[in-house]
Amino acid sequence: MLKVENIDVFYGNIQALHNVTIEVNEGEIVTLIGANGAGKSTLLKTLSGLLKPKKGKIEFLGKSISGKAAQTIVKSGISHVPEGRRVFSNLTVEENLELGAFLRKDKAGISSDLNKVYETFPRLLERKKQLSGTLSGGEQQMLAIGRAIMAKPKLVLLDEPSMGLAPLMVQTIFKVIEEINNDGATVLLVEQNAHMALSVANRGYVIETGKVVLSGPSAELQSSEEVKLAYLGG
């Protein structure tokens, strides 16, 4: 579904990604693990069109999306749930969700997906008329994921969905990631909590200082001494 080949990405003169190659097959959950500042978020931003690669190719569903505008990439079926939630705090919960469906024209489908988001996150239904800036961190994360679902994506890019959340809320968010995947969306997940990420993912890539240093099935990465020492607390 997604093919990234040998991309280099820079912030000004500083190179953030070096010759990165990954692929994501339809129906998978694939996780990117690595330390803070390793380049994981940079890769997601590049896939969603917020950054442009200097070199290399990005293909989605067999078509090149390298250097395309963010709205074109959303139209093609990729939704990005950014790090730090980024909900529109001065809009209500429902207005945020409706904005997720901005590019869609199928009113019946939008209404049905809105109901589905409320079924998945009953807390959002209770707070649908509330300004999203007044929600807790966990509720804002639910809203950010719900907003992405409203675009009816084929591929969801999730950046640090568990960051700053209470353990119980982390469990809820990961259950939802599995549900989204079971409903037919492919997921590319960036996550500091390597234990949780590898427990839901089919495969993973380890990124260090902007380079892919290891990849393989989740079970293989979980049992790798290198991964255990660096990311799973030994």
Side-chain angles (χ1 to χ4, degrees):
M1 180 182 255
L2 177 75
K3 215 180 215 174
V4 178
E5 280 181 22
N6 310 114
I7 63 166
D8 287 352
V9 177
F10 288 76
Y11 288 105
N13 294 325
I14 297 163
Q15 189 164 359
L17 294 179
H18 302 259
N19 212 31
V20 167
T21 294
I22 70 161
E23 58 180 46
V24 179
N25 301 310
E26 194 167 343
E28 285 189 308
I29 298 179
V30 174
T31 186
L32 306 173
I33 57 176
N36 254 341
K40 307 181 304 295
S41 295
T42 299
L43 179 51
L44 292 199
K45 285 177 185 164
T46 307
L47 296 176
S48 63
L50 299 173
L51 294 170
K52 310 282 183 242
K54 270 265 168 72
K55 169 180 99 65
K57 291 195 304 193
I58 304 170
E59 278 185 7
F60 179 60
L61 296 172
K63 290 185 180 145
S64 171
I65 57 166
S66 296
K68 291 263 162 74
Q71 65 267 34
T72 307
I73 289 173
V74 172
K75 263 187 190 161
S76 75
I78 296 178
S79 275
H80 186 176
V81 181
E83 187 182 352
R85 275 69 96 174
R86 304 284 172 91
V87 297
F88 297 102
S89 54
N90 57 339
L91 298 180
T92 66
V93 165
E94 190 142 295
E95 286 166 340
N96 266 272
L97 292 172
E98 285 166 350
L99 266 179
F102 182 71
L103 293 172
R104 292 174 61 182
K105 302 284 181 275
D106 55 324
K107 279 195 173 156
I110 292 169
S111 171
S112 150
D113 284 342
L114 188 59
N115 290 331
K116 200 176 207 174
V117 169
Y118 286 144
E119 271 170 38
T120 306
F121 298 115
R123 192 92 52 93
L124 294 184
L125 179 60
E126 288 164 24
R127 289 163 171 54
K128 70 177 185 176
K129 297 296 178 207
Q130 202 170 310
L131 288 180
S132 60
T134 63
L135 301 177
S136 72
E139 289 161 351
Q140 287 190 6
Q141 186 63 68
M142 292 174 183
L143 180 54
I145 292 172
R147 186 178 61 190
I149 292 169
M150 289 301 294
K152 216 167 181 56
K154 299 179 182 84
L155 173 65
V156 181
L157 310 175
L158 279 167
D159 197 352
E160 301 288 8
S162 79
M163 191 183 267
L165 301 185
L168 207 59
M169 183 58 78
V170 172
Q171 300 282 351
T172 304
I173 293 297
F174 272 89
K175 251 189 223 127
V176 167
I177 292 169
E178 290 184 290
E179 275 174 38
I180 292 169
N181 183 241
N182 290 336
D183 282 345
T186 302
V187 177
L188 181 58
L189 167 69
V190 160
E191 180 52 62
Q192 284 267 275
N193 186 334
H195 266 299
M196 289 295 284
L198 290 169
S199 72
V200 298
N202 304 92
R203 294 186 301 111
Y205 292 88
V206 178
I207 298 186
E208 280 175 15
T209 57
K211 301 182 186 88
V212 173
V213 293
L214 211 58
S215 67
S218 291
E220 207 174 276
L221 292 177
Q222 278 171 313
S223 59
S224 147
E225 289 308 316
E226 202 178 323
V227 173
K228 274 186 197 165
L229 282 170
Y231 306 108
L232 301 175

